[in-house]
Amino acid sequence: MLLSNRNFINSFFNDPFFERPFENASSQIMKTDIHENETGYLVEMELPGYKKEDIKADLKDGYLTITAAKDETKETHDQKGKCIRKERYTGSCNRSFYVGTELTQEDIKAAFSDGILKLTIPKEAPKAIEEQPRYIAIE
């Protein structure tokens, strides 16, 4: 039987077993705070349930990419019941930030503790201004 629009809306918001398409695990992970100081940036990223071994940080073409991956675990259920909803996330997620092409992997420091990844990223050194005049050739 099809639900009327009103029943559908009520079910959508009130039924804890109703699947909400905009509520998925990827929107709940990798929440990030970025702080700036005189020398650089502190990036704090929430990665609850991940282990240090699950996380990789890669720097390529000026983009710092954080990837976190979990293998799906096989759960056993007794014969009397079955899983009707699974909200624990398995899979992988990633997030990228442009940090500039002047930085190397050695410039960025990373630490992971209590589900929080902390990255310390220095600011790029300002480019020296050329004092010599640059002339435009006139043809």
Side-chain angles (χ1 to χ4, degrees):
M1 179 173 129
L2 293 175
L3 295 174
S4 70
N5 285 343
R6 174 170 277 175
N7 287 339
F8 175 80
I9 296 297
N10 287 339
S11 294
F12 187 78
F13 289 106
N14 296 327
D15 184 356
F17 296 107
F18 190 82
E19 186 62 36
R20 293 169 179 86
F22 57 84
E23 262 186 27
N24 58 41
S26 62
S27 67
Q28 301 300 317
I29 55 180
M30 298 190 97
K31 292 181 181 177
T32 304
D33 295 333
I34 302 173
H35 306 275
E36 180 181 14
N37 61 34
E38 299 82 33
T39 60
Y41 304 93
L42 173 63
V43 176
E44 295 179 311
M45 181 178 289
E46 283 186 5
L47 292 166
Y50 287 91
K51 295 180 256 176
K52 184 169 93 171
E53 300 80 36
D54 298 333
I55 303 166
K56 291 185 176 61
D58 178 39
L59 182 63
K60 184 177 180 185
D61 298 327
Y63 285 91
L64 172 64
T65 301
I66 310 303
T67 303
K70 283 187 191 181
D71 290 331
E72 185 165 345
T73 58
K74 303 287 182 200
E75 295 181 9
T76 58
H77 301 284
D78 63 25
Q79 298 295 335
K80 295 180 183 177
K82 63 180 180 175
C83 181
I84 59 172
R85 184 173 179 121
K86 185 173 182 175
E87 293 183 346
R88 288 180 283 155
Y89 181 77
T90 57
S92 67
C93 54
N94 65 58
R95 191 147 183 207
S96 295
F97 302 94
Y98 185 76
V99 296
T101 56
E102 300 296 318
L103 296 176
T104 66
Q105 285 86 344
E106 292 80 24
D107 295 327
I108 299 171
K109 305 299 180 214
F112 184 71
S113 177
D114 298 327
I116 305 290
L117 176 65
K118 292 184 181 182
L119 299 154
T120 304
I121 304 168
K123 288 184 180 179
E124 289 185 38
K127 306 275 189 235
I129 298 174
E130 292 186 23
E131 297 284 333
Q132 301 173 354
R134 300 176 102 195
Y135 296 101
I136 299 170
I138 299 173
E139 296 182 29

